[in-house]
Amino acid sequence: MKRASVSTMTIEPFGDRFFARLPTVVRLTGLGRSTIYRMIAQDQFPAQIRLGARAVGWRWTDLERWSAQRSIVSH
């Protein structure tokens, strides 16, 4: 059975909060999967929230707060 394609920019409602899945977080931050999880382990990135048995997501508010706290670097 072939799975239907779902946009990576989909947000998942969870009560009154919204969650971004990993492909969206990667696109928004420009960070790779390994970098995100390494930064989580070092308390430098918001931790993921379990959405189900095999699904995790990040709160939009946590991602926005992290982004606002990042220093801006120009080259």
Side-chain angles (χ1 to χ4, degrees):
M1 178 189 304
K2 188 175 180 181
R3 288 178 56 177
S5 177
V6 178
S7 169
T8 58
M9 294 302 288
T10 301
I11 55 176
E12 306 290 333
F14 190 77
D16 61 348
R17 301 180 190 122
F18 288 91
F19 292 87
R21 301 296 301 273
L22 182 61
T24 303
V25 175
V26 167
R27 249 208 262 191
L28 288 173
T29 63
L31 301 173
R33 178 186 182 279
S34 297
T35 301
I36 290 169
Y37 284 107
R38 183 176 64 247
M39 290 177 72
I40 290 169
Q42 297 169 346
D43 291 327
Q44 297 176 350
F45 195 82
Q48 69 276 26
I49 305 298
R50 182 151 305 279
L51 302 175
R54 296 182 62 199
V56 296
W58 283 260
R59 287 187 187 104
W60 281 106
T61 54
D62 291 345
L63 295 174
E64 289 170 347
R65 189 177 309 116
W66 174 84
S67 180
Q69 291 174 350
R70 267 185 107 181
S71 60
I72 299 174
V73 177
S74 62
H75 296 274

